[in-house]
Amino acid sequence: MTGGPLLSAQTHEPAHTRALAAALEPLLVAGDVVLLSGELGAGKTTFVQGLAAALGIVEPVTSPTFTLATQYSGGRLTLHHLDAYRLLDEPAEVIDLDIDELIGDDAVVCIEWGEVVTSELGSDGGLLVSFVHGEAPDTRHVTVSVVGERWRSRADELEAALRTCANRC
Ligand code: ADP
Ligand code: MG
């Protein structure tokens, strides 16, 4: 089940997109999954970079397109960064990213092109962050939505944090 978006806003430079991710970070707990959607260059990796920095990860985050999954440690939570691009054309029944195995006790998972695995999350769900290019070259429409039950108790707090951040962009 997907509710209405918690945030629908525009960012006007990469730093704004990273700041939105940093506003999300304090609310993340182990086991969270963040699905990122949007075409190439929309800002998915930029968002994950902001999240990693806010978690305290110093290693530079790069696109996982050719590695499929990268693990970053050293931050408040371990970050697993996945790219599901190669799964886009797969039938839903063959998609198995073993998200549960990655999560462990102290980890969160970010999945680029992650909309393809929404059904993998079960009723627990996660967050869906979508990016669409705006008319100006550096403008992106960013939408943050809750999928499933997992974020229900944190949704109001997250909405407020994201809204405060977006108002400063
Ligand atoms: P994706 O992972 O969706 O393919 P990236 O984050 O790798 O996208 O690339 C986004 C590109 O767009 C980067 O070169 C970034 O500097 C640029 N960019 C310009 N404006 C923005 C913005 N508002 N938010 C995010 N990225 C932006
Ligand atoms: Mg990317």
Side-chain angles (χ1 to χ4, degrees):
M1 185 180 74
T2 306
L6 295 184
L7 180 80
S8 181
Q10 294 190 0
T11 66
H12 301 288
E13 54 178 89
H16 292 166
T17 296
R18 288 194 205 97
L20 276 181
L24 158 66
E25 184 276 330
L27 284 150
L28 280 182
V29 299
D32 281 333
V33 179
V34 181
L35 307 179
L36 302 141
S37 92
E39 62 190 43
L40 199 66
K44 302 181 295 296
T45 300
T46 300
F47 187 91
V48 179
Q49 288 168 343
L51 199 62
L55 283 166
I57 291 163
V58 294
E59 199 178 333
V61 169
T62 54
S63 174
T65 300
F66 300 105
T67 53
L68 198 57
T70 312
Q71 177 177 330
Y72 298 94
S73 39
R76 180 174 70 83
L77 298 162
T78 298
L79 172 65
H80 294 284
H81 186 193
L82 279 65
D83 191 310
Y85 183 75
R86 281 183 277 173
L87 303 177
L88 285 181
D89 294 330
E90 300 289 340
E93 60 269 23
V94 307
I95 294 176
D96 181 7
L97 280 180
D98 281 332
I99 296 169
D100 291 344
E101 282 181 28
L102 288 175
I103 284 177
D105 288 340
D106 71 338
V108 294
V109 181
C110 288
I111 311 177
E112 300 197 25
W113 305 95
E115 68 274 20
V116 72
V117 299
T118 306
S119 61
E120 287 273 293
L121 300 182
S123 59
D124 222 21
L127 282 185
L128 178 62
V129 185
S130 300
F131 301 89
V132 177
H133 281 83
E135 280 183 13
D138 290 348
T139 297
R140 303 288 188 273
H141 297 277
V142 184
T143 309
V144 180
S145 307
V146 169
V147 182
E149 297 304 316
R150 191 177 170 86
W151 276 86
R152 290 283 168 230
S153 60
R154 288 175 282 167
D156 288 348
E157 205 181 337
L158 177 59
E159 185 169 19
L162 293 172
R163 170 62 42 210
T164 302
C165 179
N167 286 343
R168 277 190 257 113
C169 288

